[in-house]
Amino acid sequence: AMGSRLLKQWIERPCINEQVIKERLDVVEAFIGDFMVKEELKQHLNEVYDLERLSGRIGFGNANARDLLQLNSSLKQIPNIKSLLSQLSIPSVFSQLEKMVDCTHMTQLLEKAIVENPPIGIKEGGIIKDGYNETLDEYRYVINHGKDWILALEAQEREKTGIKSLKIKFNKVFGYYIEISKANLHLIPENAGYERKQTLVNAERFVTQELKEKENLILNAEEKSIQLEYELFSELRGIVKNEIPKIQQIAKVLAYFDVLQAFATMSEENRYTRPMLNKNHVIEIKDGRHPVVEKVLKDVQYVENDCIMPSDLSILLITGPNMSGKSTYMRQLALISIMAQIGCFVPASSANLPIFDQVFTRIGAADDLVSGHSTFMVEMMETNYALEHATKDSLILLDEIGRGTATFDGMALAQSIIEYVHDNIGAKTLFSTHYHELTQLEQQCPHLQNRHVRAEEHQGQLIFMHKVMEGPSDKSYGIHVAEIAKLPSPLITRAKELLTALEEDKVMIQPAPVVKEEPKVLGGSGQLSLFEEAKPIVKEVVKVETKFEIVNPYEDIIEELQSIDLYQLTPMQAMNAMYEIKVKLNNRK
């Protein structure tokens, strides 16, 4: 449990200290190189309980005897673990072992004090071993041998008085007493110390000081024994409580080695390799794999991919069809980087990585209906967060930014985001897109290169190769993906007809021939020619709309629709606005 919590901390906050990362990798490598040490360490760690949880229970006064037994069992493993790990001749291992202080005095005390199988409660007795406390031993002797004491005292009094019919009896009213028949009363010595307790028809009942003491011991021994055990246990728990800082330090060291031996085990089982670290802002991953996806693909060979980004290359623009593996390739780089920075070997044949200070991702679709934020709004907010906080040492993954709005709006935003990261941030960035026009940016941005995920069309069927290649992809294959998803055949046929018509109708994306003025460049030299030529079309459309402005009876409703800012509306406000517009339209029929 301690190792699990530490692993979670490392994954949530990967290390950015090169020295610390290398120390962890050294230990992992040492475990891989010495199988027997690693396996024996596992056996010892299996005997260690959750020391952090136990420390908390002891500190808050909630620990019971079983908790202290678990602590004792765990601390007894420390000498064996230290002896075992000392075989690894690594300075970082010895520095960790020095933090594990000797707790022999604590284990000896707990071993002497607590029985092997104590009850859960601490106020029921049965916790402390015999021989730990002399008074407690006396109480227990009285409880276990009280009847023998009474019989011995009875024999002693018979001998002293010579009355063979003398008996020591007990009832709940008078307790223990000596009963002598009236016929034998004259035989009682004057100095016997008998005090008359009760007179009966045929007998008299007496008590002596010794009998009172025996009675008090016998009747109160059990209650006093339980109370004394509780006091002794509380005292014992207080002694252990003073040692909590030492126990917590031991817990941290054990968790440290627990995580690293787990890294070694996983690295051996899954063919992971030790990553190299550099300060040159270079990424060189050969035969990289996604550690989760490759585990899921049991009967399918995972397609390995390289990721090479020299120091002067900051952005990879990735194109390719849906389902081809663009997102997997991007996540793969992030996971390999995080695994390297937590001190684990990575799924690749070789890896040379920089140390990233932050990883920013915008992958997948999500919305926030409670706050009234659409999917596109959430996408823009997350992208903005990355752009505001990223540095040149960060890693940014942006998956199909701009797809949630109109085509030209999305394309313009995607290009401007790429240019901003390229010119102002310089972080290592993977940007996937279906806007194939953006691939022209490679000619204008010196630190950007195109990549595509290979797919081939064979006899009308789309075959995904899942291999990342240099250069842009030729098309998106969206209709093929829809066909794989088993959309209705008539729908697919119609989509292919429309695609052919759209591809042949080049007039739709050409400037109007009547416009003779030279179009102005909107975004400088880094802007795509597509946008430079699009402006005259907008002018032409405006002219057509103005011809029908007077005769259009719905012009005010159109203006009202255009004035609504959809990204600032909550779902309820949007429904109300739609309802009001529908009422106006119904009134004009």
Side-chain angles (χ1 to χ4, degrees), residues 207-253:
V207 294
T208 64
Q209 187 64 34
E210 185 178 3
L211 184 59
K212 286 181 181 179
E213 292 175 358
K214 297 285 187 184
E215 177 189 49
N216 186 53
L217 278 173
I218 293 170
L219 296 182
N220 297 323
E222 187 170 354
E223 181 181 346
K224 289 182 177 180
S225 170
I226 293 173
Q227 179 61 30
L228 180 57
E229 276 200 71
Y230 176 73
E231 293 172 1
L232 291 172
F233 177 77
S234 298
E235 180 185 345
L236 192 65
R237 189 167 59 185
I239 294 172
V240 176
K241 183 177 179 180
N242 295 330
E243 305 290 334
I244 283 180
K246 296 179 182 178
I247 298 171
Q248 290 176 329
Q249 187 61 50
I250 290 171
K252 289 180 180 178
V253 177

Side-chain angles (χ1 to χ4, degrees), residues 112-164:
K112 179 182 178 183
I114 299 177
V115 297
E116 292 182 0
N117 189 24
I120 296 176
I122 59 175
K123 296 184 178 180
E124 304 168 3
I127 296 175
I128 305 299
K129 277 184 176 180
D130 293 335
Y132 181 73
N133 181 273
E134 185 176 348
T135 304
L136 180 62
D137 290 344
E138 290 179 3
Y139 287 144
R140 286 178 173 171
Y141 185 83
V142 169
I143 294 169
N144 297 325
H145 301 86
K147 191 174 182 180
D148 296 338
W149 279 8
I150 295 299
L151 293 174
L153 181 63
E154 185 181 71
Q156 177 185 323
E157 292 299 321
R158 283 179 180 178
E159 185 178 348
K160 184 168 67 174
T161 60
I163 304 172
K164 294 187 177 182

Side-chain angles (χ1 to χ4, degrees), residues 552 554-563:
N552 190 349
Y554 304 108
E555 186 64 32
D556 59 331
I557 295 177
I558 293 173
E559 290 179 359
E560 184 177 347
L561 282 169
Q562 290 175 337
S563 67

Side-chain angles (χ1 to χ4, degrees), residues 263-303:
F263 286 171
T265 300
M266 292 300 298
S267 299
E268 280 185 307
E269 292 177 355
N270 298 288
R271 298 184 299 113
Y272 293 172
T273 186
R274 175 171 180 159
M276 305 299 293
L277 303 175
N278 67 77
K279 298 179 180 179
N280 303 324
H281 212 50
V282 172
I283 298 176
E284 291 181 355
I285 299 174
K286 295 291 184 68
D287 302 323
R289 312 187 305 275
H290 191 295
V292 179
V293 174
E294 75 165 342
K295 296 291 286 185
V296 176
L297 298 176
K298 296 180 181 178
D299 302 323
V300 181
Q301 179 67 35
Y302 186 89
V303 178

